Each structure stands twice: as C-alpha cells, then as structure tokens.
Amino acid sequence: MLTHIIERVLQALAVMLVMSALVFVGVYAIGNPIDVLIGPDVSQDIRLETIARYGLDRPLWDQYLTFLGRVLHGDFGRSFVFGMPVLELILSRLPATLELTLAAVLGAALIGIPAGIYAGYRPESVLSKLIMALSILGFSVPTFWIGLVLIMTFAVELSWLPAGGRGETLALFGVEWSFLTPNGLSHLFLPALNLAFFKLALMTRLARAGTREVMLTDTVKFARAAGITEGVILRRHVLRLISIPLVTVFGLEFASTLAFAVVTETIFSWPGIGKLIIDSIQSLDRPVMVAYLMLVAFVFIMINFLVDLTYFALDPRLRKGRAG
C-alpha cells in the first residue's frame, strides 16, 4: 500500500511539472495583456515601463523558470487586473464553487443511484421507464438552456426563487457559506439543480446498468435460494458490487464540475472560480489563467489518487494482488 502511494505521488509530481510547462507556454503565447492594461494613447515610455514591470520583456523560458521558482514557494504571482496575489484571489472564490459543486454532485448521487437501482431491479415498471426517459432528457438538453428555463420559470414567472447571486452567507471555520442561511439556500437551489441534471442522468444510467448486470449473476441467485430478503440483497450485494464504477464516476464528475462549472456560474452570476476565469480570459489576466488551469490539473490528480485508495478499501482482490 505504501509503495503504491509513493508511486502515485511521484507520478503526480511529474504530471504537474509537465502541465505547468504546457499551461504556461499556451497561455503566455496568446494575446498581449498590455493592450488591455493600458490605453492605446499612452506614451511609448509608459508602455515599455509597464512591460518591464510585469516581466513581459524577458524570454518565455526565463519567465517560466521564474514562475516555477515562485510556485515552489507557494507564490503564483499577482493578478494583472485585481492587483492581489493570485492564490489569495482564487481561494477567496473557491468556497462558492465548492459549495455549488458539492450540492450538485451529492444531490445527483443521492437521487440518481437509488433511482438507477430501482430502474435496474424493476425494469418493466412504468416508474422505471419514466426514470430512464428523464435520464435521456438530462443527457440531451444543454446546460445553458436548462438554466435559462429554470430562471424564466421559478424566478421570473413564479417569483419563487432568486435568479442569481449568492445571497446571504454565514461564516463557518472562517469561510463564508450560503447553505447556512435561508436566503443563501434559496440562491443556491437553482444553480445546483441546473448543474446536477447531467450528473443525475449519468448516475442513474450507470446504477441501472450495474444493477441489471448484478441481478443476473449467480451471487444473487444463491442469495435468493438461501432465503435472503430482497432488501438485504440490494443493500449488501447489488450496491456493494456496483460501488466501484460509481465511486469512479462520482470522483471524476466532482472534479470536472468543480473545474468547469463556468456556464452555470455565468448564467446565475454565481461568484465562483468559473466566473473568475471567464473575466480573466476577457482581460487576458495571465497569472490567474495559469493558476486556474494548474488548479484544475491538481484537482483531477488528487481525485484520481483518492479514487485509487477507495478501490483498495472496496475491493480486497486489489490488496491481495499488491501483497502477492
């Protein structure tokens, strides 16, 4: 187990190093932020001074090595637009995105997995067919369209819920959270629902497919022959056997939602890192763009690492294989 963890850590460090080079070169080779930072009517002396102040007059490899040295000390530079440390800026927006992501993915899992298990256990029932039809809808309809429909229906027509913003927050462990206040919870509901539609459809179909496969195995047949009740079979056998693919999908969907909740945050004016990166792209705020993309790579690496560890906990065959 320890050997496996060391191997994964070394692989993660290598991937992060390669990603940092690709991201830095890709971002810094596009556009000229000086055209955004200063007006076109400034003198050439001011222009050259601004370029030198941000270090943009040096070769790209020199800029990358300087950036890499700062990163090793936890410094991702300063935002061109906001004038504050990039890491501090991203961390100030991260709780909003994290809260939205957790609400969407956990909600999708808590509803989608039981619905998928039921659809796989009773495939011919009317409710099962309705569940699968709704899952197809979740796959087919674009996220931005669902978001606009939710706003028009619940915010504009019915005036039940707010159309955007984060609402009132309450501090917990030094971090502001919306779900701790009724007003914040009402602001969280629509964007979380919008973000959960695709995840819900995915979880449902995966749980259904796994359940249908497991129900035809000898394990379930022997359990029924032994007189074990259907509820125990579903909890102890079916859910346990389909848990590994569900854990994989849950981890990857959590990572992708945390990294790419851009559309939902833009539609609902949710002040998270997704909206921050859109504003940074428009203003060519290179330090923020590089730090965001490296954060995305780090999140995916960490999620995959945690999924691997979960595999070891769920599947004894992997532990035996490593021991052998």
Side-chain angles (χ1 to χ4, degrees), residues 54 67 70-71 73-94 273 276 280 285-292:
Y54 288 108
F67 164 77
R70 290 200 308 262
V71 168
H73 294 86
D75 181 12
F76 285 83
R78 298 183 69 86
S79 168
F80 292 165
V81 176
F82 294 92
M84 62 185 297
V86 171
L87 188 59
E88 180 182 336
L89 177 61
I90 290 179
L91 290 179
S92 68
R93 301 289 189 94
L94 184 59
I273 55 177
L276 173 64
S280 300
D285 197 346
R286 287 177 173 176
V288 176
M289 295 163 64
V290 172
Y292 171 80

PDB file of all heavy atoms in Angstrom, residues 54 67 70-71 73-94 273 276 280 285-292:
ATOM      1  N   TYR A  54       5.916  44.036 -15.438  1.00  0.00           N
ATOM      2  CA  TYR A  54       5.288  42.717 -15.384  1.00  0.00           C
ATOM      3  C   TYR A  54       6.214  41.609 -15.886  1.00  0.00           C
ATOM      4  O   TYR A  54       5.797  40.448 -15.950  1.00  0.00           O
ATOM      5  CB  TYR A  54       3.990  42.709 -16.201  1.00  0.00           C
ATOM      6  CG  TYR A  54       2.874  43.486 -15.552  1.00  0.00           C
ATOM      7  CD1 TYR A  54       2.456  44.707 -16.068  1.00  0.00           C
ATOM      8  CD2 TYR A  54       2.234  43.006 -14.410  1.00  0.00           C
ATOM      9  CE1 TYR A  54       1.433  45.429 -15.472  1.00  0.00           C
ATOM     10  CE2 TYR A  54       1.214  43.715 -13.810  1.00  0.00           C
ATOM     11  CZ  TYR A  54       0.811  44.934 -14.343  1.00  0.00           C
ATOM     12  OH  TYR A  54      -0.204  45.647 -13.744  1.00  0.00           O
ATOM     13  N   PHE A  67       8.610  31.789 -12.784  1.00  0.00           N
ATOM     14  CA  PHE A  67       7.287  31.373 -12.309  1.00  0.00           C
ATOM     15  C   PHE A  67       7.386  30.067 -11.526  1.00  0.00           C
ATOM     16  O   PHE A  67       6.793  29.926 -10.448  1.00  0.00           O
ATOM     17  CB  PHE A  67       6.350  31.211 -13.505  1.00  0.00           C
ATOM     18  CG  PHE A  67       5.092  30.447 -13.211  1.00  0.00           C
ATOM     19  CD1 PHE A  67       4.042  31.049 -12.534  1.00  0.00           C
ATOM     20  CD2 PHE A  67       4.960  29.119 -13.593  1.00  0.00           C
ATOM     21  CE1 PHE A  67       2.877  30.347 -12.253  1.00  0.00           C
ATOM     22  CE2 PHE A  67       3.806  28.417 -13.312  1.00  0.00           C
ATOM     23  CZ  PHE A  67       2.766  29.025 -12.643  1.00  0.00           C
ATOM     24  N   ARG A  70       8.785  30.586  -8.078  1.00  0.00           N
ATOM     25  CA  ARG A  70       7.808  31.185  -7.154  1.00  0.00           C
ATOM     26  C   ARG A  70       6.771  30.163  -6.703  1.00  0.00           C
ATOM     27  O   ARG A  70       6.352  30.157  -5.543  1.00  0.00           O
ATOM     28  CB  ARG A  70       7.118  32.379  -7.822  1.00  0.00           C
ATOM     29  CG  ARG A  70       8.014  33.597  -8.034  1.00  0.00           C
ATOM     30  CD  ARG A  70       7.165  34.848  -8.215  1.00  0.00           C
ATOM     31  NE  ARG A  70       6.155  34.664  -9.247  1.00  0.00           N
ATOM     32  CZ  ARG A  70       6.275  35.076 -10.510  1.00  0.00           C
ATOM     33  NH1 ARG A  70       7.388  35.694 -10.892  1.00  0.00           N
ATOM     34  NH2 ARG A  70       5.315  34.868 -11.380  1.00  0.00           N
ATOM     35  N   VAL A  71       6.343  29.296  -7.646  1.00  0.00           N
ATOM     36  CA  VAL A  71       5.322  28.307  -7.316  1.00  0.00           C
ATOM     37  C   VAL A  71       5.814  27.364  -6.228  1.00  0.00           C
ATOM     38  O   VAL A  71       5.046  26.961  -5.343  1.00  0.00           O
ATOM     39  CB  VAL A  71       4.914  27.515  -8.580  1.00  0.00           C
ATOM     40  CG1 VAL A  71       4.075  26.286  -8.210  1.00  0.00           C
ATOM     41  CG2 VAL A  71       4.126  28.405  -9.529  1.00  0.00           C
ATOM     42  N   HIS A  73       7.454  28.059  -3.802  1.00  0.00           N
ATOM     43  CA  HIS A  73       7.304  28.759  -2.525  1.00  0.00           C
ATOM     44  C   HIS A  73       5.854  29.178  -2.271  1.00  0.00           C
ATOM     45  O   HIS A  73       5.578  30.003  -1.402  1.00  0.00           O
ATOM     46  CB  HIS A  73       8.216  29.997  -2.483  1.00  0.00           C
ATOM     47  CG  HIS A  73       9.680  29.660  -2.489  1.00  0.00           C
ATOM     48  ND1 HIS A  73      10.388  29.453  -3.659  1.00  0.00           N
ATOM     49  CD2 HIS A  73      10.563  29.486  -1.467  1.00  0.00           C
ATOM     50  CE1 HIS A  73      11.658  29.180  -3.349  1.00  0.00           C
ATOM     51  NE2 HIS A  73      11.789  29.188  -2.043  1.00  0.00           N
ATOM     52  N   GLY A  74       4.923  28.636  -3.083  1.00  0.00           N
ATOM     53  CA  GLY A  74       3.515  28.940  -2.899  1.00  0.00           C
ATOM     54  C   GLY A  74       3.071  30.280  -3.443  1.00  0.00           C
ATOM     55  O   GLY A  74       2.013  30.781  -3.061  1.00  0.00           O
ATOM     56  N   ASP A  75       3.852  30.862  -4.358  1.00  0.00           N
ATOM     57  CA  ASP A  75       3.533  32.169  -4.921  1.00  0.00           C
ATOM     58  C   ASP A  75       3.214  32.006  -6.409  1.00  0.00           C
ATOM     59  O   ASP A  75       4.081  31.648  -7.205  1.00  0.00           O
ATOM     60  CB  ASP A  75       4.716  33.120  -4.734  1.00  0.00           C
ATOM     61  CG  ASP A  75       4.434  34.519  -5.294  1.00  0.00           C
ATOM     62  OD1 ASP A  75       3.257  34.801  -5.609  1.00  0.00           O
ATOM     63  OD2 ASP A  75       5.389  35.302  -5.418  1.00  0.00           O
ATOM     64  N   PHE A  76       1.972  32.261  -6.788  1.00  0.00           N
ATOM     65  CA  PHE A  76       1.553  32.162  -8.180  1.00  0.00           C
ATOM     66  C   PHE A  76       1.541  33.519  -8.878  1.00  0.00           C
ATOM     67  O   PHE A  76       0.994  33.653  -9.966  1.00  0.00           O
ATOM     68  CB  PHE A  76       0.155  31.537  -8.270  1.00  0.00           C
ATOM     69  CG  PHE A  76       0.145  30.052  -8.025  1.00  0.00           C
ATOM     70  CD1 PHE A  76       0.118  29.541  -6.730  1.00  0.00           C
ATOM     71  CD2 PHE A  76       0.157  29.162  -9.075  1.00  0.00           C
ATOM     72  CE1 PHE A  76       0.115  28.181  -6.494  1.00  0.00           C
ATOM     73  CE2 PHE A  76       0.142  27.791  -8.862  1.00  0.00           C
ATOM     74  CZ  PHE A  76       0.132  27.301  -7.562  1.00  0.00           C
ATOM     75  N   GLY A  77       2.140  34.511  -8.261  1.00  0.00           N
ATOM     76  CA  GLY A  77       2.182  35.837  -8.855  1.00  0.00           C
ATOM     77  C   GLY A  77       1.000  36.691  -8.440  1.00  0.00           C
ATOM     78  O   GLY A  77       0.179  36.292  -7.603  1.00  0.00           O
ATOM     79  N   ARG A  78       0.909  37.868  -9.054  1.00  0.00           N
ATOM     80  CA  ARG A  78      -0.173  38.807  -8.752  1.00  0.00           C
ATOM     81  C   ARG A  78      -1.048  38.988  -9.981  1.00  0.00           C
ATOM     82  O   ARG A  78      -0.570  38.983 -11.116  1.00  0.00           O
ATOM     83  CB  ARG A  78       0.384  40.164  -8.311  1.00  0.00           C
ATOM     84  CG  ARG A  78       1.221  40.099  -7.047  1.00  0.00           C
ATOM     85  CD  ARG A  78       1.679  41.477  -6.637  1.00  0.00           C
ATOM     86  NE  ARG A  78       0.568  42.301  -6.168  1.00  0.00           N
ATOM     87  CZ  ARG A  78       0.120  42.299  -4.917  1.00  0.00           C
ATOM     88  NH1 ARG A  78       0.684  41.516  -4.013  1.00  0.00           N
ATOM     89  NH2 ARG A  78      -0.868  43.077  -4.550  1.00  0.00           N
ATOM     90  N   SER A  79      -2.326  39.139  -9.733  1.00  0.00           N
ATOM     91  CA  SER A  79      -3.276  39.364 -10.824  1.00  0.00           C
ATOM     92  C   SER A  79      -3.016  40.706 -11.486  1.00  0.00           C
ATOM     93  O   SER A  79      -2.811  41.720 -10.813  1.00  0.00           O
ATOM     94  CB  SER A  79      -4.708  39.307 -10.284  1.00  0.00           C
ATOM     95  OG  SER A  79      -5.630  39.788 -11.231  1.00  0.00           O
ATOM     96  N   PHE A  80      -3.003  40.733 -12.815  1.00  0.00           N
ATOM     97  CA  PHE A  80      -2.836  41.986 -13.538  1.00  0.00           C
ATOM     98  C   PHE A  80      -4.003  42.933 -13.292  1.00  0.00           C
ATOM     99  O   PHE A  80      -3.821  44.153 -13.208  1.00  0.00           O
ATOM    100  CB  PHE A  80      -2.741  41.714 -15.046  1.00  0.00           C
ATOM    101  CG  PHE A  80      -1.490  40.995 -15.467  1.00  0.00           C
ATOM    102  CD1 PHE A  80      -1.391  40.418 -16.722  1.00  0.00           C
ATOM    103  CD2 PHE A  80      -0.398  40.898 -14.615  1.00  0.00           C
ATOM    104  CE1 PHE A  80      -0.245  39.758 -17.124  1.00  0.00           C
ATOM    105  CE2 PHE A  80       0.756  40.240 -15.001  1.00  0.00           C
ATOM    106  CZ  PHE A  80       0.831  39.664 -16.255  1.00  0.00           C
ATOM    107  N   VAL A  81      -5.192  42.384 -13.183  1.00  0.00           N
ATOM    108  CA  VAL A  81      -6.414  43.199 -13.098  1.00  0.00           C
ATOM    109  C   VAL A  81      -6.754  43.556 -11.654  1.00  0.00           C
ATOM    110  O   VAL A  81      -7.024  44.716 -11.332  1.00  0.00           O
ATOM    111  CB  VAL A  81      -7.596  42.463 -13.764  1.00  0.00           C
ATOM    112  CG1 VAL A  81      -8.898  43.248 -13.588  1.00  0.00           C
ATOM    113  CG2 VAL A  81      -7.312  42.217 -15.239  1.00  0.00           C
ATOM    114  N   PHE A  82      -6.746  42.563 -10.762  1.00  0.00           N
ATOM    115  CA  PHE A  82      -7.173  42.782  -9.379  1.00  0.00           C
ATOM    116  C   PHE A  82      -6.046  43.307  -8.496  1.00  0.00           C
ATOM    117  O   PHE A  82      -6.307  43.794  -7.395  1.00  0.00           O
ATOM    118  CB  PHE A  82      -7.736  41.484  -8.790  1.00  0.00           C
ATOM    119  CG  PHE A  82      -9.007  41.017  -9.436  1.00  0.00           C
ATOM    120  CD1 PHE A  82      -8.970  40.126 -10.499  1.00  0.00           C
ATOM    121  CD2 PHE A  82     -10.234  41.485  -9.002  1.00  0.00           C
ATOM    122  CE1 PHE A  82     -10.141  39.685 -11.102  1.00  0.00           C
ATOM    123  CE2 PHE A  82     -11.404  41.057  -9.599  1.00  0.00           C
ATOM    124  CZ  PHE A  82     -11.360  40.164 -10.662  1.00  0.00           C
ATOM    125  N   GLY A  83      -4.800  43.162  -8.942  1.00  0.00           N
ATOM    126  CA  GLY A  83      -3.673  43.682  -8.185  1.00  0.00           C
ATOM    127  C   GLY A  83      -3.450  43.007  -6.855  1.00  0.00           C
ATOM    128  O   GLY A  83      -2.938  43.618  -5.914  1.00  0.00           O
ATOM    129  N   MET A  84      -3.831  41.729  -6.712  1.00  0.00           N
ATOM    130  CA  MET A  84      -3.658  40.990  -5.477  1.00  0.00           C
ATOM    131  C   MET A  84      -3.059  39.626  -5.803  1.00  0.00           C
ATOM    132  O   MET A  84      -3.102  39.183  -6.955  1.00  0.00           O
ATOM    133  CB  MET A  84      -5.000  40.828  -4.749  1.00  0.00           C
ATOM    134  CG  MET A  84      -6.051  40.048  -5.528  1.00  0.00           C
ATOM    135  SD  MET A  84      -7.672  39.989  -4.709  1.00  0.00           S
ATOM    136  CE  MET A  84      -7.263  39.092  -3.210  1.00  0.00           C
ATOM    137  N   PRO A  85      -2.474  38.934  -4.809  1.00  0.00           N
ATOM    138  CA  PRO A  85      -1.916  37.601  -5.076  1.00  0.00           C
ATOM    139  C   PRO A  85      -2.946  36.663  -5.690  1.00  0.00           C
ATOM    140  O   PRO A  85      -4.098  36.604  -5.227  1.00  0.00           O
ATOM    141  CB  PRO A  85      -1.473  37.126  -3.687  1.00  0.00           C
ATOM    142  CG  PRO A  85      -1.222  38.387  -2.928  1.00  0.00           C
ATOM    143  CD  PRO A  85      -2.233  39.372  -3.423  1.00  0.00           C
ATOM    144  N   VAL A  86      -2.526  35.936  -6.727  1.00  0.00           N
ATOM    145  CA  VAL A  86      -3.450  35.075  -7.461  1.00  0.00           C
ATOM    146  C   VAL A  86      -4.015  33.981  -6.561  1.00  0.00           C
ATOM    147  O   VAL A  86      -5.215  33.684  -6.608  1.00  0.00           O
ATOM    148  CB  VAL A  86      -2.738  34.452  -8.681  1.00  0.00           C
ATOM    149  CG1 VAL A  86      -3.603  33.383  -9.321  1.00  0.00           C
ATOM    150  CG2 VAL A  86      -2.397  35.524  -9.692  1.00  0.00           C
ATOM    151  N   LEU A  87      -3.165  33.362  -5.749  1.00  0.00           N
ATOM    152  CA  LEU A  87      -3.632  32.284  -4.881  1.00  0.00           C
ATOM    153  C   LEU A  87      -4.686  32.786  -3.905  1.00  0.00           C
ATOM    154  O   LEU A  87      -5.701  32.115  -3.666  1.00  0.00           O
ATOM    155  CB  LEU A  87      -2.448  31.681  -4.120  1.00  0.00           C
ATOM    156  CG  LEU A  87      -2.737  30.409  -3.318  1.00  0.00           C
ATOM    157  CD1 LEU A  87      -3.250  29.311  -4.233  1.00  0.00           C
ATOM    158  CD2 LEU A  87      -1.494  29.953  -2.567  1.00  0.00           C
ATOM    159  N   GLU A  88      -4.479  33.980  -3.363  1.00  0.00           N
ATOM    160  CA  GLU A  88      -5.466  34.563  -2.445  1.00  0.00           C
ATOM    161  C   GLU A  88      -6.772  34.852  -3.166  1.00  0.00           C
ATOM    162  O   GLU A  88      -7.858  34.633  -2.623  1.00  0.00           O
ATOM    163  CB  GLU A  88      -4.889  35.848  -1.851  1.00  0.00           C
ATOM    164  CG  GLU A  88      -5.817  36.545  -0.876  1.00  0.00           C
ATOM    165  CD  GLU A  88      -5.231  37.843  -0.356  1.00  0.00           C
ATOM    166  OE1 GLU A  88      -3.977  37.986  -0.379  1.00  0.00           O
ATOM    167  OE2 GLU A  88      -6.006  38.724   0.080  1.00  0.00           O
ATOM    168  N   LEU A  89      -6.666  35.307  -4.413  1.00  0.00           N
ATOM    169  CA  LEU A  89      -7.865  35.615  -5.201  1.00  0.00           C
ATOM    170  C   LEU A  89      -8.668  34.351  -5.490  1.00  0.00           C
ATOM    171  O   LEU A  89      -9.899  34.331  -5.337  1.00  0.00           O
ATOM    172  CB  LEU A  89      -7.447  36.292  -6.513  1.00  0.00           C
ATOM    173  CG  LEU A  89      -8.550  36.628  -7.510  1.00  0.00           C
ATOM    174  CD1 LEU A  89      -9.548  37.606  -6.913  1.00  0.00           C
ATOM    175  CD2 LEU A  89      -7.957  37.176  -8.803  1.00  0.00           C
ATOM    176  N   ILE A  90      -7.980  33.281  -5.909  1.00  0.00           N
ATOM    177  CA  ILE A  90      -8.674  32.033  -6.234  1.00  0.00           C
ATOM    178  C   ILE A  90      -9.282  31.409  -4.982  1.00  0.00           C
ATOM    179  O   ILE A  90     -10.425  30.927  -5.003  1.00  0.00           O
ATOM    180  CB  ILE A  90      -7.707  31.058  -6.929  1.00  0.00           C
ATOM    181  CG1 ILE A  90      -7.370  31.575  -8.325  1.00  0.00           C
ATOM    182  CG2 ILE A  90      -8.309  29.656  -7.010  1.00  0.00           C
ATOM    183  CD1 ILE A  90      -6.414  30.700  -9.091  1.00  0.00           C
ATOM    184  N   LEU A  91      -8.528  31.417  -3.883  1.00  0.00           N
ATOM    185  CA  LEU A  91      -9.051  30.833  -2.636  1.00  0.00           C
ATOM    186  C   LEU A  91     -10.259  31.604  -2.111  1.00  0.00           C
ATOM    187  O   LEU A  91     -11.123  31.020  -1.446  1.00  0.00           O
ATOM    188  CB  LEU A  91      -7.946  30.793  -1.579  1.00  0.00           C
ATOM    189  CG  LEU A  91      -6.812  29.797  -1.833  1.00  0.00           C
ATOM    190  CD1 LEU A  91      -5.774  29.875  -0.723  1.00  0.00           C
ATOM    191  CD2 LEU A  91      -7.342  28.375  -1.964  1.00  0.00           C
ATOM    192  N   SER A  92     -10.336  32.895  -2.411  1.00  0.00           N
ATOM    193  CA  SER A  92     -11.496  33.671  -1.973  1.00  0.00           C
ATOM    194  C   SER A  92     -12.751  33.294  -2.762  1.00  0.00           C
ATOM    195  O   SER A  92     -13.867  33.458  -2.266  1.00  0.00           O
ATOM    196  CB  SER A  92     -11.214  35.170  -2.125  1.00  0.00           C
ATOM    197  OG  SER A  92     -11.115  35.534  -3.489  1.00  0.00           O
ATOM    198  N   ARG A  93     -12.566  32.798  -3.993  1.00  0.00           N
ATOM    199  CA  ARG A  93     -13.710  32.397  -4.820  1.00  0.00           C
ATOM    200  C   ARG A  93     -14.004  30.898  -4.718  1.00  0.00           C
ATOM    201  O   ARG A  93     -15.088  30.457  -5.109  1.00  0.00           O
ATOM    202  CB  ARG A  93     -13.428  32.733  -6.295  1.00  0.00           C
ATOM    203  CG  ARG A  93     -13.161  34.200  -6.589  1.00  0.00           C
ATOM    204  CD  ARG A  93     -14.415  35.039  -6.467  1.00  0.00           C
ATOM    205  NE  ARG A  93     -14.208  36.390  -6.954  1.00  0.00           N
ATOM    206  CZ  ARG A  93     -14.494  36.790  -8.198  1.00  0.00           C
ATOM    207  NH1 ARG A  93     -14.985  35.925  -9.069  1.00  0.00           N
ATOM    208  NH2 ARG A  93     -14.285  38.041  -8.561  1.00  0.00           N
ATOM    209  N   LEU A  94     -13.037  30.117  -4.244  1.00  0.00           N
ATOM    210  CA  LEU A  94     -13.185  28.663  -4.234  1.00  0.00           C
ATOM    211  C   LEU A  94     -14.350  28.163  -3.379  1.00  0.00           C
ATOM    212  O   LEU A  94     -15.054  27.226  -3.801  1.00  0.00           O
ATOM    213  CB  LEU A  94     -11.873  28.018  -3.781  1.00  0.00           C
ATOM    214  CG  LEU A  94     -11.815  26.493  -3.800  1.00  0.00           C
ATOM    215  CD1 LEU A  94     -12.067  25.963  -5.214  1.00  0.00           C
ATOM    216  CD2 LEU A  94     -10.476  25.995  -3.278  1.00  0.00           C
ATOM    217  N   ILE A 273     -15.014  30.414  -8.982  1.00  0.00           N
ATOM    218  CA  ILE A 273     -13.807  30.491  -9.814  1.00  0.00           C
ATOM    219  C   ILE A 273     -14.140  30.344 -11.293  1.00  0.00           C
ATOM    220  O   ILE A 273     -13.347  30.756 -12.144  1.00  0.00           O
ATOM    221  CB  ILE A 273     -12.776  29.423  -9.387  1.00  0.00           C
ATOM    222  CG1 ILE A 273     -13.394  28.020  -9.409  1.00  0.00           C
ATOM    223  CG2 ILE A 273     -12.217  29.738  -8.013  1.00  0.00           C
ATOM    224  CD1 ILE A 273     -12.405  26.925  -9.073  1.00  0.00           C
ATOM    225  N   LEU A 276     -14.731  33.764 -12.396  1.00  0.00           N
ATOM    226  CA  LEU A 276     -13.444  34.454 -12.321  1.00  0.00           C
ATOM    227  C   LEU A 276     -12.602  34.167 -13.557  1.00  0.00           C
ATOM    228  O   LEU A 276     -11.975  35.078 -14.111  1.00  0.00           O
ATOM    229  CB  LEU A 276     -12.694  34.030 -11.059  1.00  0.00           C
ATOM    230  CG  LEU A 276     -11.256  34.547 -10.913  1.00  0.00           C
ATOM    231  CD1 LEU A 276     -11.231  36.067 -10.796  1.00  0.00           C
ATOM    232  CD2 LEU A 276     -10.571  33.905  -9.707  1.00  0.00           C
ATOM    233  N   SER A 280     -11.136  36.676 -16.374  1.00  0.00           N
ATOM    234  CA  SER A 280      -9.690  36.714 -16.589  1.00  0.00           C
ATOM    235  C   SER A 280      -9.341  36.509 -18.050  1.00  0.00           C
ATOM    236  O   SER A 280      -8.407  37.127 -18.578  1.00  0.00           O
ATOM    237  CB  SER A 280      -9.004  35.649 -15.731  1.00  0.00           C
ATOM    238  OG  SER A 280      -9.250  35.867 -14.369  1.00  0.00           O
ATOM    239  N   ASP A 285      -5.808  38.197 -18.130  1.00  0.00           N
ATOM    240  CA  ASP A 285      -5.110  38.176 -16.841  1.00  0.00           C
ATOM    241  C   ASP A 285      -4.344  36.857 -16.742  1.00  0.00           C
ATOM    242  O   ASP A 285      -4.807  35.874 -16.151  1.00  0.00           O
ATOM    243  CB  ASP A 285      -6.125  38.319 -15.706  1.00  0.00           C
ATOM    244  CG  ASP A 285      -5.475  38.725 -14.396  1.00  0.00           C
ATOM    245  OD1 ASP A 285      -4.238  38.633 -14.306  1.00  0.00           O
ATOM    246  OD2 ASP A 285      -6.195  39.137 -13.476  1.00  0.00           O
ATOM    247  N   ARG A 286      -3.143  36.842 -17.300  1.00  0.00           N
ATOM    248  CA  ARG A 286      -2.388  35.596 -17.451  1.00  0.00           C
ATOM    249  C   ARG A 286      -2.108  34.858 -16.152  1.00  0.00           C
ATOM    250  O   ARG A 286      -2.279  33.640 -16.078  1.00  0.00           O
ATOM    251  CB  ARG A 286      -1.078  35.895 -18.180  1.00  0.00           C
ATOM    252  CG  ARG A 286      -1.249  36.178 -19.666  1.00  0.00           C
ATOM    253  CD  ARG A 286       0.088  36.543 -20.280  1.00  0.00           C
ATOM    254  NE  ARG A 286       0.014  36.676 -21.725  1.00  0.00           N
ATOM    255  CZ  ARG A 286       1.033  37.060 -22.481  1.00  0.00           C
ATOM    256  NH1 ARG A 286       2.193  37.365 -21.909  1.00  0.00           N
ATOM    257  NH2 ARG A 286       0.905  37.151 -23.793  1.00  0.00           N
ATOM    258  N   PRO A 287      -1.654  35.516 -15.091  1.00  0.00           N
ATOM    259  CA  PRO A 287      -1.383  34.777 -13.853  1.00  0.00           C
ATOM    260  C   PRO A 287      -2.596  34.023 -13.319  1.00  0.00           C
ATOM    261  O   PRO A 287      -2.468  32.897 -12.835  1.00  0.00           O
ATOM    262  CB  PRO A 287      -0.938  35.877 -12.882  1.00  0.00           C
ATOM    263  CG  PRO A 287      -0.382  36.943 -13.761  1.00  0.00           C
ATOM    264  CD  PRO A 287      -1.244  36.937 -14.981  1.00  0.00           C
ATOM    265  N   VAL A 288      -3.774  34.625 -13.418  1.00  0.00           N
ATOM    266  CA  VAL A 288      -4.979  33.960 -12.944  1.00  0.00           C
ATOM    267  C   VAL A 288      -5.311  32.762 -13.832  1.00  0.00           C
ATOM    268  O   VAL A 288      -5.681  31.682 -13.339  1.00  0.00           O
ATOM    269  CB  VAL A 288      -6.170  34.941 -12.905  1.00  0.00           C
ATOM    270  CG1 VAL A 288      -7.453  34.219 -12.498  1.00  0.00           C
ATOM    271  CG2 VAL A 288      -5.890  36.072 -11.931  1.00  0.00           C
ATOM    272  N   MET A 289      -5.161  32.915 -15.136  1.00  0.00           N
ATOM    273  CA  MET A 289      -5.450  31.820 -16.053  1.00  0.00           C
ATOM    274  C   MET A 289      -4.521  30.636 -15.816  1.00  0.00           C
ATOM    275  O   MET A 289      -4.964  29.481 -15.777  1.00  0.00           O
ATOM    276  CB  MET A 289      -5.322  32.326 -17.503  1.00  0.00           C
ATOM    277  CG  MET A 289      -6.346  33.391 -17.874  1.00  0.00           C
ATOM    278  SD  MET A 289      -5.896  34.298 -19.372  1.00  0.00           S
ATOM    279  CE  MET A 289      -5.952  32.988 -20.595  1.00  0.00           C
ATOM    280  N   VAL A 290      -3.234  30.903 -15.651  1.00  0.00           N
ATOM    281  CA  VAL A 290      -2.270  29.824 -15.416  1.00  0.00           C
ATOM    282  C   VAL A 290      -2.559  29.129 -14.092  1.00  0.00           C
ATOM    283  O   VAL A 290      -2.570  27.891 -14.011  1.00  0.00           O
ATOM    284  CB  VAL A 290      -0.826  30.375 -15.439  1.00  0.00           C
ATOM    285  CG1 VAL A 290       0.159  29.306 -14.993  1.00  0.00           C
ATOM    286  CG2 VAL A 290      -0.466  30.869 -16.833  1.00  0.00           C
ATOM    287  N   ALA A 291      -2.787  29.899 -13.043  1.00  0.00           N
ATOM    288  CA  ALA A 291      -3.057  29.310 -11.726  1.00  0.00           C
ATOM    289  C   ALA A 291      -4.335  28.481 -11.747  1.00  0.00           C
ATOM    290  O   ALA A 291      -4.396  27.394 -11.144  1.00  0.00           O
ATOM    291  CB  ALA A 291      -3.151  30.412 -10.676  1.00  0.00           C
ATOM    292  N   TYR A 292      -5.352  28.955 -12.447  1.00  0.00           N
ATOM    293  CA  TYR A 292      -6.624  28.218 -12.530  1.00  0.00           C
ATOM    294  C   TYR A 292      -6.430  26.875 -13.233  1.00  0.00           C
ATOM    295  O   TYR A 292      -6.902  25.837 -12.753  1.00  0.00           O
ATOM    296  CB  TYR A 292      -7.656  29.066 -13.272  1.00  0.00           C
ATOM    297  CG  TYR A 292      -8.934  28.321 -13.593  1.00  0.00           C
ATOM    298  CD1 TYR A 292      -9.913  28.140 -12.629  1.00  0.00           C
ATOM    299  CD2 TYR A 292      -9.148  27.779 -14.862  1.00  0.00           C
ATOM    300  CE1 TYR A 292     -11.074  27.452 -12.915  1.00  0.00           C
ATOM    301  CE2 TYR A 292     -10.309  27.092 -15.157  1.00  0.00           C
ATOM    302  CZ  TYR A 292     -11.267  26.933 -14.184  1.00  0.00           C
ATOM    303  OH  TYR A 292     -12.416  26.233 -14.471  1.00  0.00           O
TER     304      TYR A 292
END
